[in-house]
Amino acid sequence: MRSMKSKGRVAFGVLILAALTLAPLAGCQVTRNGQTLPSPHYLGDDIQYHPSGSEFQYQQEVDYMNKITAERNAAAMNGQY
């Protein structure tokens, strides 16, 4: 019975050692001190192109508000408002 326990402990030790050895090779993206670091395989990743757009996120809303204001001003000029 004693040899079964020692074989189990050896197998568990080998399993832990293998897990600790292979963990850095997983290639996971990590966050350290608030900075996201890429995986080790980032050089092989496909490049994604995102066309540049307006830096202002609410441009459509501003355009709509300007359109409504222009319509109201035009209606006021015509005496309809």
Side-chain angles (χ1 to χ4, degrees):
M1 196 64 157
R2 189 167 186 101
S3 66
M4 287 289 282
K5 284 186 178 181
S6 65
K7 284 183 183 179
R9 287 182 182 169
V10 169
F12 182 72
V14 169
L15 181 66
I16 293 297
L17 183 62
L20 291 175
T21 303
L22 295 176
L25 301 176
C28 297
Q29 190 174 23
V30 296
T31 302
R32 300 278 184 215
N33 298 326
Q35 182 180 12
T36 303
L37 303 175
S39 71
H41 310 291
Y42 74 97
L43 292 175
D45 288 344
D46 293 333
I47 297 173
Q48 296 180 0
Y49 173 71
H50 300 285
S52 61
S54 175
E55 294 291 325
F56 185 58
Q57 296 179 359
Y58 302 107
Q59 188 61 45
Q60 291 178 343
E61 286 82 354
V62 171
D63 292 341
Y64 179 73
M65 290 170 55
N66 289 338
K67 176 185 165 192
I68 297 297
T69 304
E71 288 174 358
R72 286 183 181 170
N73 290 340
M77 296 286 266
N78 293 334
Q80 296 175 357
Y81 192 61

